[in-house]
Amino acid sequence: MKRADVKRVEGGIWRAGVATVKITPAEPMWLAGWALRKEPARGVLSDLFATALVLEDGRGKKVIVVSVDLIAMPRGLCDAIVRRVQEKASVRRDRFMFAASHTHCGPEIRADKVLFFNIPDEYAKKIEPLVRRLVERIAAVILAAIENLEPVTLFVRQTSATFAHNRRVNDSALDHEVPVLDVVKNDGARKAVVFGYACHNLTMPPEDSRYCADFSGFARDEIERANPGAKALFIVGCAADQNPRPRGSEDLARRQGRELGQAVIDALKGEGVNVEPGIRAAMEDVTLEMQKVTQQWIEESLASNDPPRRVKAQYLIERVARGEALERSYPAVMQAIKLGEQLLLIAMSGEPVVNWAQRFRAEFSGPLVWVAGYCNDMYGYIPTRKIQAEGGYEGGRANLWSVLPAPWTDDVEDRVADGVRRIVKMLERLS
């Protein structure tokens, strides 16, 4: 293996720790991501992992990045893990970033999907115990990473992959960039590689009911084989409207994993941008408003030939009958992390469409502006105003499979953009 060119930065050093744990269930669970599934998991194609990378700057400030092979990292799960870690380590909540790989071949961990995905009771009952085990394992792996901190140098790099395509009709917006954070030890060997790509992690067909990390897991395997001893962490970009093409087989998932992994491996051979020690992080709940549920919509939905609409309407009727007030807003957590002056990482919750990455890269400057999705919570899609007006799955229909009563109001783009802008500005005031 070619050793990396290690460069010391005047004024301090980075330290990093990394640890990983297998989270593949030992029993059949209902798989997440496809409402059409009719059976639970039936074996393992590739194991699922949770990997934690802890970075510490020269002043002892830490940031923790956790990549997990799950469809989502709901807020409740993230907060439970943070509380467990904080029992033994003093790290603020805004310095934890939880990134789901969004594989559709992992266990369903969201109890609120039981109704909408027709999950049988036998498997619905397994969700809560699995979530408790995940809290224990992921908290333990974070603490293990904190315990093995050692001096490192950080580099940012950028490459590309080509298999992501926009799945919306007449929309050509794409993001083929592959951002890379390279973590290198004093002896020149790699400790960790963080890489991203804006593409739905669903190359595997839904009828293949084996646990699998999909193309991102195969990419991770490529990177780790080329860098013995290093751990690779995947972070999905703004992939809500981005699908792999072609898709639908194990062979394709492996080929796309090789393409993505090899792109990262090749990028690691080139000159990277050295990251100065320094961590700044900020987080805010951005209030997103929902449309009002009308009696007319309920009646039309119940009379429609659209099964998901009928299920959603009946769900809302039953909530009202129980005396529950329907939510009118949701606190969408957004986060920004800055490493030195070389990397700005914007971590969006939910499923943001690709235009968000394009917008924020144009608005904010730096050697690398990395925009991620599927971080810190999952509640649904985040469209732009244009996509809302066009409609379709990303524009509002996806809400039919959600416990949230209705799609967002048409000012969602302004609310999200203003919120992220506030968070990034917070970093400027931090030292």
Side-chain angles (χ1 to χ4, degrees):
M1 179 188 72
K2 180 181 178 182
R3 294 186 181 276
D5 180 19
V6 178
K7 301 177 183 177
R8 286 282 154 242
V9 179
E10 186 177 352
I13 62 169
W14 287 103
R15 293 203 303 161
V18 66
T20 191
V21 62
K22 185 170 72 172
I23 59 169
T24 315
E27 60 181 329
M29 299 284 298
W30 206 258
L31 295 176
W34 294 103
L36 54 76
R37 281 195 166 112
K38 304 298 183 185
E39 63 176 353
R42 53 173 181 82
V44 179
L45 176 57
S46 67
D47 277 312
L48 311 175
F49 293 91
T51 304
L53 171 66
V54 179
L55 299 175
E56 182 184 84
D57 65 13
R59 295 175 295 175
K61 292 184 177 181
K62 294 181 178 65
V63 68
I64 298 168
V65 178
V66 186
S67 175
V68 187
D69 290 324
L70 291 172
I71 190 77
M73 288 295 289
R75 177 182 292 231
L77 173 57
C78 297
D79 289 348
I81 295 167
V82 170
R83 287 193 297 269
R84 187 61 55 87
V85 172
Q86 288 176 336
E87 292 173 1
K88 297 184 178 180
S90 179
V91 184
R92 297 198 324 244
R93 174 63 185 92
D94 61 7
R95 294 178 180 271
F96 289 82
M97 172 183 160
F98 295 94
S101 75
H102 203 54
T103 175
H104 287 48
C105 298
E108 182 57 80
I109 60 167
R110 301 165 295 178
D112 58 1
K113 296 299 182 186
V114 169
L115 169 65
F116 302 105
F117 283 14
N118 297 307
I119 299 177
D121 289 345
E122 174 187 359
Y123 299 98
K125 292 175 182 177
K126 295 182 178 183
I127 292 176
E128 185 177 345
L130 174 60
V131 170
R132 289 198 298 267
R133 292 195 296 272
L134 288 169
V135 170
E136 296 289 340
R137 290 183 182 181
I138 298 175
V141 85
I142 292 171
L143 291 168
I146 292 174
E147 289 298 315
N148 69 31
L149 292 171
E150 63 179 321
V152 297
T153 304
L154 303 186
F155 301 90
V156 289
R157 308 171 189 272
Q158 196 157 303
T159 183
S160 63
T162 62
F163 58 85
H165 289 262
N166 199 304
R167 69 191 190 187
R168 291 180 64 82
V169 177
N170 299 323
D171 197 333
S172 60
L174 296 171
D175 177 12
H176 282 164
E177 294 188 9
V178 176
V180 179
L181 176 63
D182 187 12
V183 183
V184 183
K185 298 189 291 185
N186 275 352
D187 63 2
R190 287 195 168 83
K191 188 175 185 73
V193 179
V194 187
F195 66 107
Y197 191 50
C199 187
H200 247 84
N201 208 0
L202 46 53
T203 304
M204 293 292 296
E207 60 270 17
D208 189 322
S209 299
R210 292 176 290 177
Y211 293 123
C212 177
D214 215 295
F215 72 75
S216 72
F218 295 128
R220 177 179 60 211
D221 293 344
E222 295 282 326
I223 296 166
E224 292 182 352
R225 275 195 296 268
N227 296 275
K231 296 300 178 185
L233 296 82
F234 177 67
I235 297 176
V236 188
C238 297
D241 52 354
Q242 306 292 296
N243 272 3
R245 185 186 297 174
R247 63 189 178 100
S249 73
E250 175 187 341
D251 179 65
L252 289 171
R254 291 185 181 278
R255 284 196 300 181
Q256 290 162 357
R258 283 194 296 271
E259 178 187 340
L260 179 56
Q262 191 59 53
V264 174
I265 292 166
D266 291 343
L268 295 175
K269 298 173 184 176
E271 186 73 14
V273 176
N274 197 253
V275 181
E276 302 166 359
I279 294 172
R280 286 170 281 174
M283 179 179 277
E284 179 184 314
D285 284 345
V286 177
T287 301
L288 305 185
E289 300 287 345
M290 283 176 266
Q291 299 170 23
K292 184 178 181 180
V293 177
T294 65
Q295 186 62 33
Q296 179 181 349
W297 186 88
I298 293 286
E299 293 173 358
E300 290 177 351
S301 297
L302 290 174
S304 76
N305 293 322
D306 187 352
R309 279 191 68 177
R310 294 199 302 270
V311 170
K312 183 62 176 278
Q314 188 61 41
Y315 161 76
L316 295 175
I317 288 172
E318 292 173 2
R319 282 192 58 182
V320 172
R322 292 194 296 267
E324 297 178 14
L326 300 182
E327 301 91 338
R328 292 298 304 274
S329 65
Y330 189 86
V333 60
M334 300 292 166
Q335 182 181 33
I337 297 169
K338 200 161 190 180
L339 303 184
E341 295 298 329
Q342 289 72 38
L343 172 61
L344 171 61
L345 175 55
I346 297 170
M348 302 180 68
S349 55
E351 298 197 51
V353 296
V354 72
N355 307 86
W356 289 110
Q358 297 171 329
R359 173 174 184 153
F360 292 140
R361 281 203 298 263
E363 181 169 349
F364 304 115
S365 61
L368 183 58
V369 177
W370 186 334
V371 189
Y374 307 86
C375 294
N376 300 309
D377 195 13
M378 174 56 72
Y379 43 81
Y381 281 72
I382 306 179
T384 58
R385 184 174 286 104
K386 172 179 176 292
I387 287 179
Q388 276 186 305
E390 292 173 351
Y393 189 75
E394 299 84 2
R397 182 170 170 78
N399 178 262
L400 296 177
W401 289 266
S402 168
V403 293
L404 296 183
W408 310 121
T409 51
D410 61 8
D411 62 350
V412 64
E413 179 172 353
D414 295 333
R415 288 175 176 271
V416 172
D418 290 346
V420 170
R421 195 176 296 116
R422 284 194 304 273
I423 298 164
V424 173
K425 285 185 177 179
M426 288 180 200
L427 301 182
E428 299 173 1
R429 298 193 294 269
L430 299 173
S431 59

